[in-house]
């Protein structure tokens, strides 16, 4: 009998023998046990694999949480640093603004004092700085103090606006100051003048329309 015939015979008869003969069944189980792990051993191996996977997953979770916390700390530090930079920048801008404001006021006062000295001492004119209360809301649309610079000689009255800078709305305000002065003092004005190193381009057409003369650094530079 060949091996093929023996194999066919085993495949044909073995199932019936396993079902009917306990000795044959035990023999087959002992024979194949060397090639297949028992159920309990398989379960143990499977559980070990699951435990390892669980440990790996837990380690990865912990690392993720640690990285997240580290990133949160870095973000908090960056936010705090940015806040300090912004705070310092605001202080810097506030300081620069305050210095610029004081510089502008001091420059205006210095120019006004110099103009007063020249015109009064050398040309016999009179330079006045009026500060009057507008209770009729003519200039600013509300009751407020109004400051007006005047140059007077004989019958000539010149109203000046001496400012470090002047905008379009301020040009309109200056014209209302002139009207306020004329109404309050019942006096006509010969000339309206703005003296400022920085005049907003949008204010120039307004000045021209209102008959206001402008004397500015920009005009001097353009004429050089």
């Amino acid at each position: 009998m060949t091996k093929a015939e023996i194999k066919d015979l085993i495949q044909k008869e073995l199932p019936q023998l396993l079902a009917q003969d306990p000795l044959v069944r035990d023999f087959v189980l002992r024979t194949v046990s060397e090639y297949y792990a028992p159920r309990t051993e398989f379960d143990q191996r499977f559980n070990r694999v699951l435990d390892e996977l669980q440990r790996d997953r837990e380690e990865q979770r912990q690392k993720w949480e640690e990285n997240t916390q580290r990133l949160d700390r870095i973000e908090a530090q960056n936010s705090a640093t940015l806040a300090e930079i912004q705070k310092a920048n605001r202080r810097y801008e506030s300081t620069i603004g305050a210095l610029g404001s004081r510089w502008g006021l001091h420059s205006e006062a210095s120019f006004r004092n110099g103009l007063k000295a020249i015109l009064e001492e050398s040309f016999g004119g009179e330079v006045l700085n009026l500060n009057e209360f507008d209770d009729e809301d003519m200039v600013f649309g509300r009751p407020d103090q109004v400051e007006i610079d005047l140059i007077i000689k004989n019958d000539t009255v010149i109203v000046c606006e001496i400012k470090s800078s002047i905008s379009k709305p301020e040009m309109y305000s200056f014209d209302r100051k002139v009207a306020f002065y004329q109404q309050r003092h019942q006096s006509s004005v010969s000339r309206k003048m703005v003296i400022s190193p920085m005049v907003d381009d949008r204010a120039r057409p307004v000045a021209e329309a209102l008959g206001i003369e402008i004397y500015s650094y920009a005009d001097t530079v353009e004429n050089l």
Side-chain angles (χ1 to χ4, degrees), residues 82-175:
L82 180 60
E84 286 297 324
I85 292 174
Q86 291 174 338
K87 184 178 179 181
N89 187 53
R90 286 194 295 270
R91 287 199 301 267
Y92 174 77
E93 290 178 348
S94 177
T95 301
I96 294 298
L99 289 174
S101 179
R102 286 198 296 270
W103 174 264
L105 292 174
H106 293 166
S107 298
E108 292 170 14
S110 298
F111 184 82
R112 186 179 293 113
N113 292 336
L115 186 64
K116 179 180 177 66
I118 293 171
L119 294 178
E120 289 185 347
E121 296 175 13
S122 300
F123 297 95
E126 184 180 9
V127 177
L128 301 176
N129 178 244
L130 301 183
N131 201 320
E132 300 183 341
F133 188 75
D134 174 19
D135 54 2
E136 297 180 0
D137 310 344
M138 287 185 60
V139 178
F140 302 111
R142 64 182 185 280
D144 206 340
Q145 293 295 130
V146 177
E147 184 179 15
I148 302 173
D149 290 308
L150 299 174
I151 301 173
I152 302 174
K153 185 175 182 179
N154 300 327
D155 294 330
T156 301
V157 178
I158 302 173
V159 181
C160 291
E161 183 79 328
I162 302 172
K163 294 179 68 68
S164 58
S165 65
I166 189 164
S167 64
K168 179 179 177 180
E170 289 172 330
M171 194 68 74
Y172 281 113
S173 294
F174 171 57
D175 190 63

Side-chain angles (χ1 to χ4, degrees), residues 1-10:
M1 184 178 292
T2 64
K3 287 184 178 181
E5 291 174 340
I6 295 173
K7 184 188 246 184
D8 290 339
L9 180 61
I10 291 173

Side-chain angles (χ1 to χ4, degrees), residues 56-70:
D56 290 342
R57 186 166 60 184
E58 182 64 22
E59 290 177 0
Q60 292 298 325
R61 187 188 64 79
Q62 291 178 354
K63 290 180 180 179
W64 177 263
E65 289 181 353
E66 291 173 358
N67 289 333
T68 301
Q69 293 173 358
R70 188 180 299 110

Side-chain angles (χ1 to χ4, degrees), residues 46 50 70 75 77 86 190 199 214:
F46 184 71
L50 288 178
R70 188 180 299 110
E75 183 176 358
Q77 292 172 355
Q86 291 174 338
S190 306
V199 179
I214 295 177

Side-chain angles (χ1 to χ4, degrees), residues 4-19:
E5 291 174 340
I6 295 173
K7 184 188 246 184
D8 290 339
L9 180 61
I10 291 173
Q11 291 175 346
K12 181 179 178 181
E13 298 295 336
L14 184 58
Q16 186 176 358
L17 289 172
L18 289 174

